Amino acid sequence: MGAQIRVYRQKISSTTSMRKIFKAMELIATSRIGKARARVAASLPYANAITRAVSAVASQSEIDHPLVTEPAQIRRAAVLVITSDRGLAGSYSASVLKQAEGLTELLRGEGKEVKTYVLGRKAQAYFDFRNRPYAQVWTGNTDAPEFATAQEIGAALLEDFATAYEEDGVDEIHVVYTRFKSMVNQEPTVIRLLPLEVVEEQAQSESELLPLYEFEPEAERVLDALLPRYIESRIFAAMLQAAASELAARQRAMKSAGDNATDLIKKYTRLRNTARQAEITQELSEIVAGADALSASS
């Protein structure tokens, strides 16, 4: 009986230590989520402005530019998968990877080859474990993205987009990430970056018209200058949305883990007390039985 009490005490002690870790991680995520949401909000004006500019150039000029013209045949598609570097965020990374797998199956069902690009150690580990190839990988600070990383990713994707299919180039580019909607709602999302699909991060009213631009020099050169910045801003916006989603998912997962640890501590405490009470009852019974035996023998 004493050994059983010691087991419960050890379980209570270890679970209490784990609860402290969960609580600390919850507090860290909670303290960082505000900054992450502020960065998402701060990125919207620039992303919307450059989106409107690119949309105006593409819609107000009759040009045949490879970045805005649908190719006659799409044979290979690039898929950028954005996950987290660290775990303990519930189903955050698993949901993105599931969405990426669905997109991959869809593209292959359409007869397209898929070239995968990976952002985050969780996606890297996922593909490495399954011995599935990927073109490039970027890791580090997924919960605090840097614009330099978005520039590097954008340059790599644009370079492959400008490369011929026979030389391992791609004909379209997709991004799979998690869109932050609220603290309790984060949605795995797929967007197509190229050929250009203009999607603003912030909805505009139907009555609002695109501004009229005069192009100097010609529209093709304007697109050549604008589209790399457009791609970088869209990728960085996706990274910021993913970072906010990751922190929100981690905060929620750690709170749930802490609550479960509290429930376990209560359960083990109750079992320990029950075992202790049984031990005391047994000792009293032995004392009474010994006293009765002594009385009977005297």
Side-chain angles (χ1 to χ4, degrees), residues 116-135:
T116 305
Y117 300 77
V118 170
L119 173 60
R121 292 190 180 94
K122 285 297 178 180
Q124 181 184 17
Y126 178 86
F127 288 103
D128 285 343
F129 180 77
R130 289 160 179 78
N131 294 320
R132 294 169 56 180
Y134 45 84

Side-chain angles (χ1 to χ4, degrees), residues 56-236:
V57 175
S59 61
Q60 296 171 15
S61 58
E62 297 295 332
I63 61 173
D64 184 16
H65 194 283
L67 299 181
V68 297
T69 303
E70 191 79 21
Q73 182 182 9
I74 298 177
R75 291 172 288 181
R76 182 180 294 120
V79 177
L80 172 64
V81 184
I82 301 178
T83 63
S84 65
D85 281 329
R86 298 183 294 132
L88 299 177
S91 61
Y92 166 76
S93 292
S95 298
V96 178
L97 292 168
K98 182 179 179 180
Q99 188 79 7
E101 290 288 8
L103 174 63
T104 299
E105 291 180 6
L106 176 64
L107 294 173
R108 287 176 176 166
E110 296 173 352
K112 303 173 185 177
E113 299 177 25
V114 177
K115 189 174 182 179
T116 305
Y117 300 77
V118 170
L119 173 60
R121 292 190 180 94
K122 285 297 178 180
Q124 181 184 17
Y126 178 86
F127 288 103
D128 285 343
F129 180 77
R130 289 160 179 78
N131 294 320
R132 294 169 56 180
Y134 45 84
Q136 292 190 51
V137 59
W138 295 268
T139 59
N141 300 323
T142 56
D143 55 355
E146 298 177 354
F147 186 66
T149 304
Q151 289 180 308
E152 185 179 343
I153 296 172
L157 292 177
L158 284 174
E159 181 180 356
D160 280 355
F161 187 76
T163 303
Y165 168 79
E166 292 76 14
E167 299 176 4
D168 201 31
V170 299
D171 301 312
E172 66 178 359
I173 299 174
H174 299 266
V175 178
V176 185
Y177 70 103
T178 305
R179 180 183 295 274
F180 180 87
K181 291 189 172 182
S182 68
M183 287 296 296
V184 296
N185 186 12
Q186 299 88 42
E187 179 182 359
T189 304
V190 177
I191 59 174
R192 192 179 80 164
L193 287 183
L194 293 176
L196 182 63
E197 286 184 345
V198 177
V199 180
E200 295 204 24
E201 294 294 331
Q202 200 170 29
Q204 304 289 334
S205 64
E206 295 182 359
S207 60
E208 187 175 357
L209 300 177
L210 291 172
L212 297 176
Y213 290 98
E214 293 184 1
F215 307 118
E216 181 65 33
E218 61 273 9
E220 288 86 350
R221 294 181 63 183
V222 172
L223 274 180
D224 287 339
L226 276 181
L227 277 167
R229 292 172 175 78
Y230 170 78
I231 295 301
E232 292 168 0
S233 68
R234 291 293 301 275
I235 292 175
F236 189 54

